[in-house]
Every structure is written in structure tokens, then in C-alpha cells.
Amino acid sequence: MTKKQLNVRVDATTAEIARARAEQEGISMNQYIEKLVQQDMGETGRVFLDAAAQFMKEYEAAFLAEFGEHEATGRRR
């Protein structure tokens, strides 16, 4: 995988905390930051899917009233 370099500025306390956490986990600072971003992306996806499921639950009756139920062939009744 091709890597891209990012330069970020954080306050001294944040930098020290990040260094300490990376060291505790036995990974580099780069790996630690990459892991945090990937976790964030996973959480965003989970939140989206939960919201979509809730939307469909709340509006299922409206969709069925408007579009009807589909048969196995995919045609409207």
C-alpha cells in the first residue's frame, strides 16, 4: 500500500500522550495515528448503518404504502 505523509500540529501534551500510548501498544506513532483514524472510520460507518436501520424502521409503512411490496420477481403488486 502506498503511504502518504501527513504533517500535523498538536499541543505538547497531546503529542506526549500519543507517544506514550503508541509505546504502550508497542507500535510506532505513525501506526498509532493510522489506527485511530481507522477506528474513527469504523465508528462513522456503524453510526450511519444504525441511523439507516432506524430510518427504515420508522418509515417502513410509508414506503410500503407508496411503493407496495415487491414479489420475488421484483415487480410491484
Side-chain angles (χ1 to χ4, degrees):
M1 170 191 318
T2 302
K3 299 281 185 171
K4 297 276 185 174
Q5 182 174 341
L6 300 176
N7 296 313
V8 298
R9 292 185 185 274
V10 297
D11 62 63
T13 302
T14 301
E16 278 305 311
I17 292 169
R19 279 189 197 95
R21 293 292 296 144
E23 187 175 319
Q24 286 173 352
E25 294 188 28
I27 58 178
S28 70
M29 177 75 87
N30 287 339
Q31 291 170 316
Y32 180 68
I33 300 301
E34 188 171 18
K35 177 182 158 189
L36 290 177
V37 171
Q38 289 170 348
Q39 287 174 346
D40 184 55
M41 289 181 339
E43 179 62 23
T44 300
R46 212 171 305 110
V47 168
F48 172 79
L49 291 177
D50 289 347
Q54 184 62 34
F55 175 84
M56 290 306 296
K57 182 179 173 184
E58 290 177 18
Y59 293 97
E60 179 181 21
F63 276 92
L64 291 176
E66 178 71 23
F67 301 107
E69 293 186 43
H70 292 277
E71 297 176 14
T73 61
R75 294 182 307 197
R76 289 168 68 175
R77 294 198 305 158

